[in-house]
Amino acid sequence: MRSRRPLPRTTPPTGLLPPRDPHLARFEHWIPAKLDGLPDEVRQPVQHFATWHHLRRIRAKAAAGHPTQSPVHSAKQEITETVRFLVWLHETYQRTAATCTQPDIDEWLATGPTTRTAIRTFFVVAKMSRLNTEQPAPAHH
């Protein structure tokens, strides 16, 4: 007969580790899941954008004790719209973030909902990181 072991007792927080932000934790898992299965031409620039722009910024907010729910929500919207744009660009014109043209951006923005303007931040980051130095960021509408 097997003896039952008591469940381990949970101990109160000791303060040795900072509290884990649940929104940040979910976002850290969401990024690879979002990028899974995308062509390299799409995945690589979006991964750079997601980790070096959004994740770094949100981690800093969490470390400073600032709320992260809204920044995570905004980041997910920008990443999702950027993925949609780059998949469309790749499938429609066989172009990438690096070879994107202003008419590509204009067409994307003109043929869909206003949420498409969320790609603006991606192009600001792409220009700063020299991924695409030719294209201005789409204007806010």
Side-chain angles (χ1 to χ4, degrees):
M1 181 168 170
R2 256 175 127 183
S3 67
R4 291 186 168 217
R5 287 189 210 157
L7 293 175
R9 285 183 31 197
T10 57
T11 57
T14 61
L16 292 175
L17 295 174
R20 184 76 169 133
D21 182 287
H23 304 290
L24 172 59
R26 283 191 294 274
F27 185 57
E28 288 172 330
H29 287 93
W30 179 86
I31 293 170
K34 184 72 176 176
L35 302 178
D36 187 42
L38 293 173
D40 284 348
E41 297 83 1
V42 173
R43 185 187 46 75
Q44 289 174 347
V46 176
Q47 185 173 9
H48 179 268
F49 176 54
T51 57
W52 290 102
H53 176 70
H54 287 299
L55 188 56
R56 188 169 56 104
R57 186 176 54 83
I58 293 167
R59 281 179 175 157
K61 284 185 177 295
H66 298 295
T68 60
Q69 184 175 6
S70 290
V72 165
H73 178 75
S74 296
K76 285 180 173 183
Q77 285 181 319
E78 290 182 3
I79 293 165
T80 297
E81 287 302 320
T82 300
V83 166
R84 287 179 182 152
F85 171 71
L86 293 177
V87 166
W88 169 83
L89 184 67
H90 179 69
E91 291 175 353
T92 306
Y93 296 111
Q94 294 72 51
R95 284 198 275 276
T96 66
T99 61
C100 173
T101 67
Q102 186 63 49
D104 296 334
I105 295 170
D106 294 342
E107 180 181 346
W108 174 256
L109 294 175
T111 59
T114 58
T115 55
R116 288 183 174 190
T117 60
I119 66 171
R120 181 183 191 287
T121 306
F122 171 75
F123 280 100
V124 170
V125 172
K127 191 166 196 158
M128 288 185 334
S129 64
R130 301 201 182 278
L131 172 64
N132 184 316
T133 58
E134 302 300 314
Q135 300 313 314
H140 286 290
H141 291 280

